[in-house]
């Protein structure tokens, strides 16, 4: 009898995870007042599209993949009645919470579709979604939650195609990869791994579903090559087209097809500070140190992979070609981090290595479908998932392992450091309302989101920003707000245009007010 879960169970699972995630995110972001800078920045990109001085879709930016901010556009629509959607980045919390709930449903449904126990399907879903580290990314508003959903969706349906060779599964893989690309650039190496995996599957992995006839023996290599070509065309077309479209948008609007890669706001520009970090200086150009660094980070996420290996040993499935497919997917995104570390363009945050975890977990239903349904086999998988909860929970609480992610556990401490931007916004709203204030939104996004009169700001995405920055006196700029340069981030526009602007200003400006030793407001002299 075919196993099925009532739709009501999926809805309960979604609402349960969504509610928990949003409650945690609301408490940290709004009640305590700590928001991760990347989450705030993503909300800001959506905010500029709707509520800046020059509202337009291109204001969403051309450095970071736009899909998370596009989703947040919907949640920002009630901004005038609920300003906390922007000021506390609750639009981002809603976005990540929704995708976390969808991921829980996806995993439970994958287990059921492969004929596994309904109880196990729910337990597998909860053990992933309630893993402390995975739970974090459903609550913090970062782009990781939607990316995790899309890559897990791609892996689940790739395994469906391996198992039953249904063309519909390939279509789902193709669009999942495309949407993953619009979320994070790590989709590129994962897409390359899927392309290589298709070769292995067509050449050496027959369908496991007994209802599907295996390929006929008389089909020669040429037929298989045509099969690979056709499969590639179907799977890779959406993600390749998405990449080309992104290059075209960058070229046609920003004047450089690789603007996202080499602009003054790109990841490369923001990573300039790594040249002063001895740990990363030692790694650059030293593959052995790089491999050790990557292996240590990745090991924390590898218990589900260990469970799969143990499952194969216990069931005497030893080495099969589909294990190589999993390993290709496993190392793909990690390989990108290794290359970036070699080039000195990655800070190597702990979360950058976590995608091996959802990739492997998405593979688990397929793996269990290939063995006998037994307490031991189910137990091996659940033990691996519970072990991952302990290991990743420990890593999260240790600032030496996960320094950036650990801040979420000490939100009160870091919320205090974010108060200055809120004070600036209040000051500009009450004391300087009606004046034209120029600021680079790359650094001032929190000030903009906390202001109730953001239309008085001249920001980076506005059409008048560049000419106004070059000629503030002639263009009617009254004040320029500038952030203190930080070695770990790119220089702001005013700092690039006027050397040492924060420290010295210019002959046509005078220091008007300083905020917390981090910001200065210069008045333009006419």
């Amino acid at each position: 009898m075919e196993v099925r879960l009532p739709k009501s169970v999926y809805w309960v699972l979604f609402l349960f995870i969504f509610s928990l995630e949003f409650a945690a995110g609301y408490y940290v972001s709004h009640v305590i007042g700590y928001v991760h800078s990347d989450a705030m920045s993503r909300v800001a990109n959506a905010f500029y599209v709707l509520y800046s001085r020059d509202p337009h879709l291109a204001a969403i930016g051309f450095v970071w993949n736009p899909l998370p901010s596009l989703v947040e556009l919907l949640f920002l629509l009630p901004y005038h009645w609920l300003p906390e959607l922007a000021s506390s980045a609750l639009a981002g919390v809603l976005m990540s919470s929704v995708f976390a709930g969808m991921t829980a449903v996806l995993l439970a449904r994958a287990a059921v579709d492969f004929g596994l126990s309904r109880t196990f399907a729910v337990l597998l879903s909860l053990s992933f979604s309630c893993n402390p580290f995975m739970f974090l990314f459903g609550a913090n508003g970062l782009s990781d939650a939607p990316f995790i959903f899309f890559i897990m969706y791609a892996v689940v349906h790739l395994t469906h195609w391996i198992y039953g060779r249904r063309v519909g599964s390939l279509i789902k893989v193709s669009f999942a990869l495309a949407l993953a690309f619009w979320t994070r650039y790590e989709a590129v190496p994962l897409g390359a791994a899927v392309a290589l995996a298709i070769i292995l599957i067509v050449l050496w992995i027959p369908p496991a579903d007994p209802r599907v006839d295996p390929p006929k023996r008389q089909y020669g290599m040429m037929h298989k090559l045509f099969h690979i070509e056709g499969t590639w065309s179907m799977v890779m077309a959406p993600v390749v087209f998405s990449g080309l479209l992104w290059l075209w948008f960058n070229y046609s609007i920003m004047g450089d097809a690789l603007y996202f890669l080499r602009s003054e706001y790109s990841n490369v520009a923001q990573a300039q500070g790594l040249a002063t970090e001895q740990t990363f200086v030692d790694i650059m150009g030293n593959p052995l140190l790089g491999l050790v660094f990557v292996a240590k980070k990745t090991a924390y996420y590898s218990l589900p992979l260990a469970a799969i290996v143990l499952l194969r040993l216990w069931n005497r499935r030893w080495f099969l070609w589909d294990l190589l497919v999993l390993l290709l997917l496993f190392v793909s995104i990690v390989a990108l981090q290794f290359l970036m570390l070699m080039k000195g363009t990655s800070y190597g945050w702990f979360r950058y290595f976590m995608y091996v975890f959802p990739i492997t977990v998405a593979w688990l239903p397929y793996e269990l479908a290939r063995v006998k349904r037994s307490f031991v086999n189910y137990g091996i998988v659940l033990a691996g998932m519970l072990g991952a909860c302990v290991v990743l929970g420990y890593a999260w609480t240790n600032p030496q392992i996960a320094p950036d992610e650990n801040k979420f556990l000490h939100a009160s401490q870091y919320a205090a450091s974010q108060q200055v931007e809120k004070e600036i916004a209040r000051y500009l709203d009450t004391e300087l309302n009606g004046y034209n204030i120029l600021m680079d939104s790359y650094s001032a996004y929190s000030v903009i989101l906390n202001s109730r009169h953001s239309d008085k700001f001249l920001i980076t995405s506005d059409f008048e920003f560049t000419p106004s920055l070059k000629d503030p006196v002639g263009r009617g700029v009254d004040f320029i707000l500038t952030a203190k340069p930080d070695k770990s981030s790119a220089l702001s526009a005013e700092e690039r245009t006027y050397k040492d602007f924060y420290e010295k200003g210019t002959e046509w400006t005078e220091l008007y007010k300083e905020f917390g030793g981090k910001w200065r407001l210069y008045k333009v002299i006419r």
Side-chain angles (χ1 to χ4, degrees):
M1 184 177 178
E2 193 175 9
V3 177
R4 279 285 177 262
L5 268 176
K7 288 184 178 180
S8 58
V9 175
Y10 293 127
W11 276 107
V12 169
L13 191 58
F14 170 81
L15 292 172
F16 176 68
I17 297 300
F18 168 80
S19 301
L20 287 179
E21 296 280 18
F22 182 72
Y26 179 88
Y27 178 73
V28 173
S29 297
H30 184 62
V31 178
I32 296 178
Y34 168 72
V35 183
H36 194 287
S37 58
D38 286 357
M40 182 71 87
S41 181
R42 296 274 189 172
V43 173
N45 287 342
F47 185 86
Y48 307 148
V49 173
L50 297 173
Y51 304 111
S52 64
R53 176 178 293 198
D54 285 329
H56 57 288
L57 186 57
I60 206 163
F62 292 90
V63 173
W64 307 120
N65 316 57
L67 190 143
S69 294
L70 286 171
V71 174
E72 289 163 357
L73 282 173
L74 299 174
F75 297 123
L76 282 172
L77 291 177
Y79 161 73
H80 290 300
W81 300 276
L82 295 170
E84 297 80 12
L85 290 169
S87 60
S88 297
L90 292 182
V93 176
L94 281 167
M95 180 274 298
S96 60
S97 299
V98 166
F99 277 103
M102 290 168 61
T103 301
V105 173
L106 168 69
L107 195 52
R109 185 161 190 167
V112 168
D113 286 346
F114 273 108
L116 306 180
S117 158
R118 289 178 290 188
T119 302
F120 173 81
V122 174
L123 289 176
L124 178 65
S125 175
L126 292 175
S127 65
F128 176 81
S129 299
C130 295
N131 181 295
F133 205 75
M134 294 298 106
F135 186 84
L136 165 65
F137 292 97
N140 63 8
L142 291 176
S143 61
D144 300 279
F147 187 68
I148 286 170
F149 173 78
F150 292 129
I151 63 175
M152 291 186 76
Y153 192 93
V155 173
V156 164
H157 288 285
L158 180 66
T159 58
H160 274 300
W161 183 66
I162 296 173
Y163 189 82
R165 293 298 197 274
R166 295 191 182 98
V167 175
S169 298
L170 286 178
I171 295 173
K172 292 174 182 177
V173 172
S174 67
F175 283 99
L177 288 176
L179 291 169
F181 171 79
W182 289 110
T183 306
R184 292 188 67 88
Y185 293 115
E186 286 89 342
V188 174
L190 181 62
V194 169
L196 293 175
I198 287 170
I199 298 176
L200 294 176
I201 296 164
V202 171
L203 293 182
W204 292 295
I205 304 176
D209 191 334
R211 295 170 296 181
V212 179
D213 294 330
K216 296 180 180 179
R217 289 183 178 273
Q218 66 264 32
Y219 289 160
M221 180 56 69
M222 189 58 67
H223 179 273
K224 291 183 177 180
L225 292 177
F226 287 146
H227 190 179
I228 292 170
E229 180 186 24
T231 306
W232 274 357
S233 299
M234 180 178 294
V235 174
M236 307 311 298
V239 67
V240 171
F241 178 75
S242 294
L244 294 175
L245 198 59
W246 187 235
L247 293 173
W248 170 248
F249 286 154
N250 275 259
Y251 172 74
S252 60
I253 297 174
M254 304 308 297
D256 181 3
L258 298 178
Y259 178 85
F260 69 95
L261 187 64
R262 58 191 182 193
S263 76
E264 59 271 18
Y265 301 110
S266 66
N267 182 72
V268 174
Q270 294 185 41
Q272 294 299 316
L274 288 173
T276 61
E277 300 273 349
Q278 192 57 47
T279 300
F280 295 100
V281 171
D282 293 340
I283 290 175
M284 292 178 203
N286 190 324
L288 183 59
L289 280 179
L291 285 172
V292 171
F293 182 90
V294 167
K296 285 181 177 179
K297 299 279 188 179
T298 307
Y300 288 97
Y301 301 104
S302 299
L303 273 179
L305 180 64
I308 288 175
V309 172
L310 182 58
L311 198 64
R312 288 186 173 235
L313 292 173
W314 177 258
N315 291 277
R316 297 183 180 181
R317 293 186 68 233
W318 315 127
F319 177 82
L320 296 174
W321 284 106
D322 54 357
L323 180 61
L324 188 55
V325 170
L326 173 60
L327 293 177
L328 270 174
L329 303 176
F330 187 92
V331 303
S332 59
I333 298 177
V334 173
L336 175 64
Q337 279 302 313
F338 173 77
L339 292 174
M340 293 177 70
L341 287 165
M342 291 296 98
K343 296 175 67 176
T345 56
S346 173
Y347 281 90
W349 296 123
F350 188 59
R351 71 177 182 273
Y352 293 167
F353 301 88
M354 74 172 170
Y355 304 119
V356 300
F357 184 74
I359 285 172
T360 313
V361 173
W363 185 274
L364 286 172
Y366 164 80
E367 195 67 35
L368 280 169
R370 302 299 305 275
V371 299
K372 182 181 178 181
R373 292 6 170 218
S374 70
F375 178 80
V376 173
N377 290 333
Y378 283 144
I380 289 172
V381 170
L382 290 177
M385 295 298 292
L386 292 176
C389 289
V390 175
V391 170
L392 289 175
Y394 164 75
W396 185 22
T397 60
N398 189 331
Q400 300 301 316
I401 300 171
D404 188 56
E405 297 77 16
N406 183 258
K407 293 176 181 178
F408 201 79
L409 296 176
H410 303 280
S412 300
Q413 173 186 342
Y414 292 97
S417 66
Q418 295 183 341
Q419 289 302 309
V420 63
E421 284 82 7
K422 297 180 180 180
E423 293 170 8
I424 295 171
R426 283 194 292 268
Y427 178 84
L428 298 181
D429 283 351
T430 56
E431 301 297 327
L432 297 180
N433 194 25
Y435 289 92
N436 286 321
I437 305 170
L438 184 145
M439 60 183 72
D440 187 344
S441 54
Y442 164 74
S443 51
Y445 52 85
S446 185
V447 176
I448 298 165
L449 291 184
N450 280 279
S451 169
R452 292 309 309 272
H453 305 284
S454 57
D455 56 343
K456 68 175 177 287
F457 300 141
L458 260 172
I459 63 173
T460 319
S461 60
D462 292 340
F463 298 117
E464 297 180 10
F465 179 81
T466 300
S468 296
L469 179 62
K470 293 179 179 178
D471 182 19
V473 177
R475 289 276 180 167
V477 175
D478 298 308
F479 293 90
I480 298 177
L481 181 69
T482 183
K484 187 175 184 178
D486 185 348
K487 67 177 183 179
S488 64
S489 63
L491 289 176
S492 60
E494 66 274 4
E495 197 72 22
R496 295 192 308 272
T497 306
Y498 306 104
K499 185 175 174 58
D500 297 327
F501 183 81
Y502 177 85
E503 293 293 340
K504 301 175 182 178
T506 65
E507 59 183 13
W508 40 266
T509 58
E510 63 179 9
L511 182 60
Y512 189 80
K513 190 172 180 62
E514 186 168 355
F515 302 92
K518 296 167 59 179
W519 294 86
R520 286 183 175 178
L521 184 66
Y522 281 94
K523 184 176 182 179
V524 177
I525 304 170
R526 290 189 173 79

